[in-house]
Amino acid sequence: MRVGVIFGGRSVEHVVSVRSARTVVEGLRTAGHDAVPLGIAENGAWLAPDVAARTLASTDKALPVPQGEPRATLRHLLDARLDAAFPIVHGTFGEDGCLQGLCEMLDLPYVGCGVAASAVAMDKLLSKRLFEDAGLPVVAYAVVTRAAFAADVAAALAACAALPEPLFVKPSVGGSSVGCKLVKRRADLAEAVRFALQFDDTVLVEQGVKAREVEVAVLGAAGALQASAIGEIVPGGEFYDYEDKYLKDDAKLLAPAPLPDDVAAELKRHAVRAMDAIGGAGMARVDFFFLEGERRLALNEINTLPGFTSISMYPRLWGLVGVPLPELCDRLVRLAVERAEGKRRLDAGLRAFVASQK
Ligand SMILES: Nc1ncnc2c1ncn2[C@@H]1O[C@H](COP(=O)(O)OP(=O)(O)OP(=O)(O)O)[C@@H](O)[C@H]1O
Ligand SMILES: [Mg+2]
């Protein structure tokens, strides 16, 4: 199949996406697919496949930024004559349903979660509400909106009064730990909320937990998702912050994570239920906290386009359970095509119904 690997993008995770694309292109080609690299520069412009291919073949960290108006460059996607797309643009405009919506408009099968699940997973408040609804464990939290904070700081923060210290503050929509702060003294809470409000209009104030960070990869069609082995991130600092993710190299990745069997089994069950709760399909990495002392798990978040670099957890965790990279990429593309066929069948059913009413 002719598969467009869409990478780069406008988010702060552009450089990670370039590395992810190198792995995905290699996996697809080894599996026998014709992988067409389609890059999105940091200004949102789409690049011709040969330009994107040059970046992938080099040691460049980012795609070149072309001059001119980005919108007309969408022709590179339209001209690529793809059978399917493999979007691997992490973060905003890539992981949040925007790119998925574009593929839907073009009737182009695409790897990973659909529009709604992608958008919900990107919004930590929306996804938490669905997790709670499904009876999944999450850490205690309160919500502070920009409007409430602007109207009356003390009243807005009163919602957090029941949460014990330390507190953990984060923008509801965000990523890469941007805007996150661990607050040890309640006197510092307002400042941390103000900081997080620079990145979103809604801020979550969570109970700060001292926990191990464990994650599991899921793969499969809706209702038939499978969970991989489990991985663990051991942050270099107090928490897994922006510096730790991109600037330093102190965090350790353990795969598999040393966990008791019953905890591992529960984590896998929770991961699949969490994906079902947001209507997710295809792939995702589901991140948890393991509060070892209490032997308790709490679901943190779902990443619908997880890191796919040669050392990233998602491909590594599948490798551990006997799904090598080429097979993984191939299965993801097949799932994308099957899901698109299912949607087309539904659409045909709808059309037939409407026609029968005339
Ligand atoms: N309630 C919490 N208590 C303690 N530490 C937390 C808590 N929530 C998050 N953290 C720490 O902050 C890091 C980032 O938080 P989170 O994963 O929620 O957002 P994000 O990483 O910005 O999102 P994404 O993973 O999509 O980029 C976590 O990996 C963890 O180290
Ligand atoms: Mg995270």
Side-chain angles (χ1 to χ4, degrees), residues 82-229:
L82 304 174
D83 299 310
F86 195 133
I88 198 69
V89 178
H90 312 302
T92 358
F93 304 116
E95 192 165 345
D96 56 1
C98 292
L99 189 48
Q100 291 70 17
L102 178 61
C103 293
E104 293 281 355
M105 293 299 286
L106 299 175
D107 194 20
L108 176 64
Y110 56 96
V111 165
C113 287
V115 175
S118 301
V120 165
M122 193 73 187
D123 187 316
K124 295 187 167 83
L125 176 59
L126 289 183
S127 39
K128 246 189 221 306
R129 286 183 174 152
L130 291 179
F131 297 155
E132 287 178 305
D133 208 43
L136 290 160
V138 296
V139 297
Y141 70 99
V143 182
V144 182
T145 63
R146 179 183 307 286
F149 194 73
D152 184 342
V153 173
L157 298 186
C160 316
L163 298 173
E165 281 121 67
L167 302 165
F168 197 89
V169 179
K170 59 177 87 164
S172 181
V173 176
S176 307
S177 306
V178 173
C180 293
K181 268 200 178 12
L182 183 67
V183 175
K184 292 178 183 157
R185 298 180 317 147
R186 204 162 285 266
D188 298 330
L189 179 59
E191 200 44 50
V193 170
R194 196 169 288 119
F195 175 64
L197 282 170
Q198 284 181 40
F199 307 99
D200 192 21
D201 294 335
T202 302
V203 164
L204 295 182
V205 179
E206 296 182 349
Q207 179 182 354
V209 289
K210 201 147 185 53
R212 287 170 62 188
E213 297 192 43
V214 286
E215 42 195 57
V216 61
V218 292
L219 168 71
L225 287 157
Q226 290 174 318
S228 69

Side-chain angles (χ1 to χ4, degrees), residues 12-91:
V12 292
E13 292 170 86
H14 181 101
V15 293
V16 182
S17 174
V18 171
R19 291 173 51 207
S20 291
R22 289 192 177 108
T23 313
V24 171
V25 166
E26 184 201 313
L28 286 170
R29 289 193 176 144
T30 310
H33 292 290
D34 181 7
V36 182
L38 283 165
I40 304 175
E42 275 156 330
N43 67 346
W46 291 69
L47 300 166
D50 59 325
V51 176
R54 269 202 297 281
T55 298
L56 293 185
S58 73
T59 53
D60 291 356
K61 290 196 160 76
L63 286 157
V65 180
Q67 300 289 311
E69 217 286 307
R71 278 187 201 159
T73 60
L74 185 61
R75 71 173 187 283
H76 292 302
L77 170 65
L78 305 178
D79 290 347
R81 301 183 328 278
L82 304 174
D83 299 310
F86 195 133
I88 198 69
V89 178
H90 312 302

Side-chain angles (χ1 to χ4, degrees), residues 245 287 300-301:
K245 286 180 182 175
D287 297 352
N300 183 31
E301 58 162 348

